[in-house]
Amino acid sequence: MYSDKVIDHFTNPRNVGEIADANGIGEVGNAKCGDIMRIYLDIEDNVIKDVKFKTFGCGAAVATSSILTEMVMGKTVEEALKISNDAVAEALDGLPPLKMHCSNLAADALQAAIKDYQSKNNHVV
Ligand code: FES
């Protein structure tokens, strides 16, 4: 049912935790299941230097968040904003259709964290 990449990122999730002095934090809830995701960003000179996540989500949410952190590390804010939930699911070699909504949690929390960063730094959102 799950790809090897999903199982790898679920059993060995990357970048779990918090960033104490994060300058962008995004928290979202999944309307379909009620699970929650929080993403912490450390952005310097418009580049994502560090990213961590915490989730009260399912295995697919853990795997999508884990691979998302790898995808955005070192990216500019603009590049990170272009990462869609479909791109996250594709990077994991797909998710079962019933689990596609779980990838929204990671992508939406990332967008929320970037918006938080931009609002704190007086960017036009
Ligand atoms: Fe809630 Fe997957 S079932 S995030």
Side-chain angles (χ1 to χ4, degrees), residues 1 3-4 9 12 16 20 25 29-30 47 55 64-65 71 73 75 81 98 101 107-108 110-111 116-117 120:
M1 177 173 169
S3 72
D4 289 345
H9 279 270
N12 181 26
V16 175
I25 299 176
N30 192 316
V47 172
T55 187
T64 49
S65 317
M71 291 166 78
M73 198 79 80
K75 293 267 192 326
L81 277 171
L98 278 173
H101 71 93
D108 289 353
L110 173 69
Q111 307 267 334
D116 180 48
Y117 165 78
K120 286 175 182 159

Side-chain angles (χ1 to χ4, degrees), residues 3-123:
S3 72
D4 289 345
K5 278 195 187 167
V6 173
I7 291 166
D8 174 34
H9 279 270
F10 171 63
T11 53
N12 181 26
R14 282 62 143 180
N15 303 305
V16 175
E18 295 179 22
I19 299 173
D21 54 351
N23 53 12
I25 299 176
E27 181 175 303
V28 295
N30 192 316
K32 288 213 173 193
C33 62
D35 289 340
I36 294 171
M37 166 80 62
R38 192 179 291 169
I39 285 195
Y40 301 83
L41 294 174
D42 175 15
I43 299 173
E44 282 174 43
D45 298 329
N46 203 44
V47 172
I48 298 175
K49 297 283 185 196
D50 198 10
V51 49
K52 296 220 182 299
F53 77 94
K54 273 191 160 177
T55 187
F56 294 96
C58 67
V62 171
T64 49
S65 317
S66 171
I67 201 158
L68 179 80
T69 61
E70 291 192 331
M71 291 166 78
V72 301
M73 198 79 80
K75 293 267 192 326
T76 65
V77 166
E78 290 74 23
E79 288 168 337
L81 277 171
K82 287 189 193 140
I83 296 174
S84 65
N85 58 327
D86 284 344
V88 176
E90 272 171 33
L92 286 169
D93 294 336
L95 283 170
L98 278 173
K99 287 295 192 180
M100 279 303 291
H101 71 93
C102 310
S103 63
N104 294 342
L105 210 52
D108 289 353
L110 173 69
Q111 307 267 334
I114 290 175
K115 285 200 175 114
D116 180 48
Y117 165 78
Q118 290 175 325
S119 67
K120 286 175 182 159
N121 287 275
N122 298 319
H123 285 264

